[in-house]
Amino acid sequence: MTTSTGTDWHAWQESWDRQQEWYMPDREERFRIMLDMVEALVGPEPRVLDLACGTGSITARLLARLPGATSTGVDLDPALLAIAEGTFAGDERVSLVTADLKDPDWPAKLPHESYDAVLTATALHWLHSEPLAALYGQVAGLVRDGGVFMNADHMIDDTTPRINAAERAQRHARMDRARSDGALDWAEWWQVAAKDPVLAEPTARRFEIYGEHADGDTPSAQWHARVLREKGFAEARPVWCSPSDTLLLALK
């Protein structure tokens, strides 16, 4: 969609996808499994909370797969939210909320008190374990009984250091080859955004909020499953994994 500003929001979505795929070539596969599980557990017309939604990557795939769904996207990043707002302008199925997930009162900003599914991907590694555990408690309060929470992210098993080192070396060698073919990394993508007349100002605000990159924790899938059960989910386990990443599902 190109708006009155002359901005091609679809092109920005595509650019973001390519940058993310440089890090995660199997990104679409995790989204497919995530939506398979949404449909299997809560049906074809779910009310979804897209947690730390960024540009709305999950929401876009959700609505393409399940047109009867509705989505609330919540994030703090003004630049990525600007892309989401441009992308979904006029779509009554989508509402976007600016909120800081570290703020204990952020759920009060949401338009609904409960959701069939809360979905997030490649976002919560920004948080350290203690605030992440607190966030999981809040998520448990937002998911209806029988509803689901899914988190796709980098989860590291510290009990397998040699496997981890070999996987990381191979992944980075592949990323280096992609860079030589012109792939943009995270920092370069933001440099491009900072030069865009529409995104320059929200990008500047974004770096005032976050700095360059916040490195939180990447605990194991077992840690995530245990904490989610402690916070009120009945079942929790991985439903997809690659050598480096896991899609963890928790059922209320």
Side-chain angles (χ1 to χ4, degrees), residues 76-79 82 98 199-211:
L76 187 60
D77 189 313
T98 301
L199 290 179
E201 190 273 334
T203 295
R205 284 191 285 123
R206 181 237 178 257
F207 280 95
E208 289 175 4
I209 294 168
Y210 291 108

Side-chain angles (χ1 to χ4, degrees), residues 169-234:
Q170 184 183 58
R171 176 161 43 91
H172 280 264
R174 186 194 66 235
M175 290 165 68
D176 288 343
R177 289 192 297 271
R179 277 293 295 279
S180 68
D181 292 333
L184 294 180
D185 68 11
W186 168 268
E188 290 166 333
W189 189 90
W190 282 109
Q191 289 169 11
V192 174
K195 296 174 183 175
D196 182 83
V198 175
L199 290 179
E201 190 273 334
T203 295
R205 284 191 285 123
R206 181 237 178 257
F207 280 95
E208 289 175 4
I209 294 168
Y210 291 108
E212 288 300 321
H213 194 285
D215 289 317
D217 296 332
T218 51
S220 68
Q222 290 78 12
W223 180 93
H224 288 271
R226 174 179 59 79
V227 171
L228 285 162
R229 286 192 293 265
E230 290 172 354
K231 296 297 183 179
F233 287 91

Side-chain angles (χ1 to χ4, degrees), residues 35 38-47 62 65-70:
L35 297 179
V38 168
E39 191 170 13
L41 287 161
V42 298
E45 297 185 354
R47 175 192 288 170
L62 169 75
R65 167 84 175 262
L66 303 173
T70 57

